[in-house]
């Protein structure tokens, strides 16, 4: 369906002065469907032609995820079905035919730990809770996991009977496994001294980061966690060349076995904050101005970093703060805008006063403003000049959100959702959704989410171009940052998305949480109705 409508394109505007050369351009509507598109039917001849290698990959994958009864294998006639199941896990188009990406991925080194078959899990792979088999708590581990669990692990004395043994042995030629973990277990508890983490000594292990990553994964097994079906999680069985940081899914896994550190939340301020925002760099690397910032009702701005608050500015005219890409911005009540580059007095004047400016949004390495006349503008990077962004003329922006690759999403007051690809002036707005129930939007990294008035949270699968509901009810606010997505419920509870549709981990069940923000490293802060700010400890 393609429809054309007239839209306006404005040229460069300086300050709040709009140029007169309005160029009529066109914009299209390409609504994103809310179900997976119908995929081509695969002729069975193709399925039969699948090589032995495909079959081995499928069987390996099924074993790694505990989907196969011991001693059994997937019959050739079931391969397309099995491939579809794997494709669902990998969020690949579900064709039933080996794709290049799948071939590539399943060829990659993997963890050799096979999950014990569990019929309940196998029948209901979507119920991720079941994969966290509790094998007991008598374990040893590395500091990475200790950040998230109430357990202290120490190296054993020489000759002592350690709970976990670390071994290096040669796995032999052609064995692509990096390591595996083996244990004596009745499925409920672990036998101390009988958990072995064995690394493949045929690898040189001269890449510390890779060894570190492999060890964190294997220690996760030694703690009783099975393989995750979330591709971005540490506990995903394959290694595709990217060192994966600990993921919300991994955190939920370890919490579901051992619980949380106590106390779970620690209060870091009790001075009636009016609002708080995180500032983080675009990538996972740290930037000098990273931290949590709060604005008080007095207009004072404070920064929280390395455990202390420092004042960044104290001006009664400050109405709003925003931050991204290592920069902090403030908007005054007269609409003027400033950028902070690190020292108290060092505020750069970047936007002149105008009552047209109602909101500033920092994202990626840019800062945008939302205006009363409905337009969105972007700071040009020099002086006080802002560039307006082509937009459906008759409609007013309600909220904007921007992904790391700078795709700009604009939720209009009608519920229409429009999208513009960087660099906005060369393209048109595309109307991708028309739903009066659209209430709020959020972008984290390159992922995009929307919240609907019925409390559902919907994720956009950009690969296959469809909407998928990932939370079915209860949400009243969402916040995304990097790989993390948080949802606050009507009852005040706060949840973190694990990457599997419908599976969220509850972070807090206090009734008086008014706001939750996080940074790209996974730090989480919440603000209560009384203005207290708390930090999540584990
Ligand atoms: C399989 O998993 C279910 C749910 O987690 C559990 O109740 C059951 O005991 C498990 N079965 C075996 C044989 O471990
Ligand atoms: C762990 O390794 C030791 C020494 O090689 C071996 O005797 C033991 O059987 C192994 N245990 C498991 C559960 O693999
Ligand atoms: C090991 O991995 C953790 C978590 O990703 C990271 O914080 C730490 O810096 C890594 N250490 C090394 C030596 O790479």
């Amino acid at each position: 369906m393609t429809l054309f409508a007239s839209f306006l394109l404005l040229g460069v505007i300086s300050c709040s002065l709009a140029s007169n050369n309005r160029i009529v351009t066109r914009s299209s509507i390409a609504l994103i469907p809310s179900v997976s598109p119908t995929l081509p039917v695969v002729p069975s001849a193709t399925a039969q032609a699948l090589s032995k290698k495909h079959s081995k990959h499928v069987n390996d994958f099924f074993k790694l995820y505990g989907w196969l009864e011991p001693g059994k294998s997937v019959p050739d006639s079931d391969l397309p079905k099995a491939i579809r199941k794997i494709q669902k896990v990998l969020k690949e188009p579900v064709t039933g035919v080996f794709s290049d990406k799948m071939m590539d991925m399943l060829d990659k080194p993997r963890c050799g730990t096979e999950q014990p078959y569990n019929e309940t899990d196998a029948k209901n792979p979507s119920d991720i809770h079941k994969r966290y088999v509790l094998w007991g708590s008598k374990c040893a581990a590395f500091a990475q996991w200790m950040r998230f669990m109430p357990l202290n692990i120490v190296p054993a004395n020489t000759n002592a009977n350690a709970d976990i043994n670390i071994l290096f042995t040669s796995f032999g030629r052609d064995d692509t496994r990096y390591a595996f973990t083996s244990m004596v277990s009745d499925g409920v508890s672990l036998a101390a001294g009988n958990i072995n983490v064995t690394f493949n000594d045929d690898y040189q292990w001269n890449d510390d980061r890779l060894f570190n990553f492999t060890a964190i994964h294997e220690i996760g097994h030694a703690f009783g966690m099975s393989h995750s079906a979330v591709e971005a999680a540490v506990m995903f069985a394959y290694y595709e060349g990217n060192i994966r940081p600990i993921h919300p899914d991994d955190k939920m896994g370890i919490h579901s076995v051992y619980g949380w550190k106590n106390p779970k939340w620690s209060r870091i301020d009790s001075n009636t904050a009016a609002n708080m925002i995180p500032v983080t760099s675009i990538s996972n690397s740290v930037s000098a101005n990273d931290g949590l910032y709060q604005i008080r009702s007095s207009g004072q701005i404070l920064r929280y970093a390395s455990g202390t608050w420092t004042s960044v500015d104290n001006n009664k005219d400050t109405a709003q703060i925003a931050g991204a890409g290592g920069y902090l911005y403030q908007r005054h009540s007269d609409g003027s805008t400033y950028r902070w580059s690190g020292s108290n007095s060092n505020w750069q004047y970047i936007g002149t006063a105008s009552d047209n400016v109602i909101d500033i949004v920092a994202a990626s390495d840019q800062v945008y403003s939302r205006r009363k006349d409905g337009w969105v503008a972007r700071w040009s990077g020099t002086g006080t000049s802002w560039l307006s962004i082509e937009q459906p003329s008759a409609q007013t922006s309600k909220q904007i959100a921007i992904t790391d690759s700078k795709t700009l999403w604009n939720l209009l007051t009608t519920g229409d959702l429009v999208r513009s690809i960087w660099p906005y002036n060369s393209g048109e707005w595309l109307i991708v959704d028309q739903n009066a129930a659209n209430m709020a939007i959020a972008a984290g990294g390159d992922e995009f989410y929307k919240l609907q008035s019925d409390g559902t949270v919907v994720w956009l699968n950009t690969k296959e171009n469809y909407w998928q509901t990932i939370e079915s009810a209860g949400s009243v606010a969402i916040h995304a940052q990097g790989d993390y997505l948080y949802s606050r419920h009507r009852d005040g509870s706060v949840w973190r998305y694990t990457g599997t549709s419908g599976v969220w981990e509850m972070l807090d069940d206090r009734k008086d949480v008014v706001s939750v923000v996080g940074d790209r490293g996974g730090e989480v802060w919440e603000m209560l109705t009384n203005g207290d700010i708390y930090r999540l400890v584990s």
Side-chain angles (χ1 to χ4, degrees), residues 22-87:
R22 299 188 162 190
I23 302 158
V24 176
T25 178
R26 56 185 200 180
S27 179
S28 32
I29 301 183
L31 299 183
I32 295 170
S34 53
V35 287
S36 182
T38 316
L39 290 146
V41 176
V42 179
S44 63
T46 316
Q48 276 157 15
L50 284 174
S51 69
K52 250 189 172 158
K53 194 173 182 187
H54 290 184
S55 166
K56 182 176 182 307
H57 278 330
V58 167
N59 279 286
D60 283 346
F61 194 96
F62 270 48
K63 277 182 206 148
L64 293 178
Y65 289 91
W67 297 346
L68 264 185
E69 278 184 69
K72 296 238 169 119
S73 59
V74 179
D76 280 357
S77 56
D78 279 350
L79 281 179
K81 206 167 110 197
I83 291 168
R84 280 197 287 273
K85 189 166 169 178
I86 298 172
Q87 284 168 329

Side-chain angles (χ1 to χ4, degrees), residues 282-283 363-365 402-407 443-447 482 520:
I282 303 160
S283 66
S364 191
D365 54 357
I402 301 104
T403 58
D404 284 352
S405 52
K406 294 186 260 201
T407 295
D446 267 327
E447 305 294 343
R520 288 187 188 235

Side-chain angles (χ1 to χ4, degrees), residues 154-211:
V154 293
N157 292 327
T158 324
N159 299 328
N161 185 18
D163 295 314
I164 296 178
N165 307 298
I166 310 289
L167 311 166
F168 287 84
T169 61
S170 164
F171 290 8
R173 276 189 60 201
D174 302 331
D175 195 324
T176 57
R177 293 176 304 166
Y178 273 151
F180 68 92
T181 299
S182 53
M183 53 194 67
V184 174
S185 164
D186 57 5
V188 180
S189 62
L190 290 171
N194 258 318
I195 306 161
N196 291 351
V197 174
T198 310
F199 292 93
N200 188 345
D201 217 8
D202 298 330
Y203 285 103
Q204 293 301 306
W205 294 119
N206 48 16
D207 179 347
D208 278 356
R209 291 180 65 241
L210 179 59
F211 181 73

Side-chain angles (χ1 to χ4, degrees), residues 144 209 212 216 245:
Q144 281 311 313
R209 291 180 65 241
N212 181 41
I216 295 173

Side-chain angles (χ1 to χ4, degrees), residues 118 120-121 130:
N118 183 316
T120 322
D121 286 359
K130 297 205 172 68

Side-chain angles (χ1 to χ4, degrees), residues 242-315:
N242 292 320
I243 305 283
R244 306 188 286 267
I246 292 196
H247 186 272
D249 179 75
D250 298 313
K251 293 182 187 176
M252 179 170 168
I254 206 73
H255 291 145
S256 69
V257 180
Y258 301 96
W260 295 76
K261 277 187 192 291
N262 191 15
K264 193 167 165 185
W265 291 87
S266 124
R267 189 168 68 185
I268 57 169
D269 194 45
S270 53
N271 265 302
T272 60
N275 195 15
M276 57 173 187
I277 57 145
V279 173
T280 68
S281 51
I282 303 160
S283 66
N284 281 324
S285 61
V286 177
S287 82
N289 299 334
D290 285 358
L292 176 72
Y293 292 78
Q294 63 158 297
I295 175 171
R296 299 220 174 120
S297 42
S298 63
Q300 186 179 17
I301 304 170
L302 295 118
R303 174 195 187 186
Y304 184 75
S306 313
T308 52
W309 290 99
T310 49
S311 183
V312 166
D313 199 22
N314 195 355
N315 188 328

